[in-house]
Amino acid sequence: MSMNNKKSFFSWFKYSSGDRIFTIFVYFIITVLFLVSFYPVYYVLIASFSDYVAANSGNMLLIPSGFHLVGYTGILQLQKIWIGYGNTLIYVLFGTIFGLACSMMAGYGLSRKDLPARNIIMLLMIFTMFFSGGMIPTYITVKNFGLLNTRLVLIIMGSVSVYNIILIRTFFSVSIPNELREATVIDGCGNFRFFIQFALPLSTAIVAVITLYIAIYHWNAYFNALLYITDRNKLPLQVILRELLTSRLNEPSANTEMNEDSMIMLQVIKYSVIVVSIAPIMCLYPFVQKYFIKGVMIGSIKG
């Protein structure tokens, strides 16, 4: 046992019995919450690789039964899956760039105390978090702007969030010292130049957090596509997967026996569809985890 481990071990006995009981209770709750959250994802993963009979019998709980790629081969042979992937990548890329640019500039502007009527602007933005025009007025607005059945509507809709702007505003308020701004003003630095050359390089953490938020939104978004998109070549991945899990999986067959076998097989395809839809965005978390924790904690502690 190393010296540090020995110190940690003996320091445990320095706590009172109440503190030890509380710590054990907290770790127990965290462990239970982790298992409850993680097991459904784990089960879907092993079921997607398992034999389709075992996956639907309910006997497979912790380890996969066999190793089969029937679900994945069935999905990858569908051309509309690839079209949906391509469309989603477009929406995620350009939607994240657009949303990040608007949110960062809005958050920085609202963090400046010399911005005229910034409190009124903030109140109006917060008002939209609780009250909105509704689905029909929004649809009419989108139609009047000529955005129906265009890719631009899915890039714009949902990219800018008041919640994200509040996070950015709080981050800039507590992380960018006024002395730095005053020093740059003396040297003739304007607002835009200060934002690009000083504020953004010091805001890596919040940029990573907001990028993750917006990217996840666009990756999982499907409702706006159902409302505003009629061209199937522009549908995102989540709409395609929704169709696979509803209409295709419930499509009847003329042969009852074949239909039962097909439905059992399609259950495995359903698990594979879920894995395909969540795997890419989950791979993004390890790269931004440290920025995510730092950015959220800075805003929550000092805000």
Side-chain angles (χ1 to χ4, degrees), residues 52 56 70-71 260-270:
Y52 62 89
N56 292 277
V70 177
E260 293 178 357
D261 294 339
S262 299
M263 290 303 295
I264 294 176
M265 181 70 71
L266 288 173
Q267 290 298 321
V268 179
I269 296 180
K270 178 175 68 175

Side-chain angles (χ1 to χ4, degrees), residues 118-129:
R118 71 164 187 159
N119 291 331
I120 297 177
I121 296 174
M122 199 70 238
L123 288 175
L124 293 176
M125 296 179 66
I126 294 176
F127 180 83
T128 63
M129 298 179 64

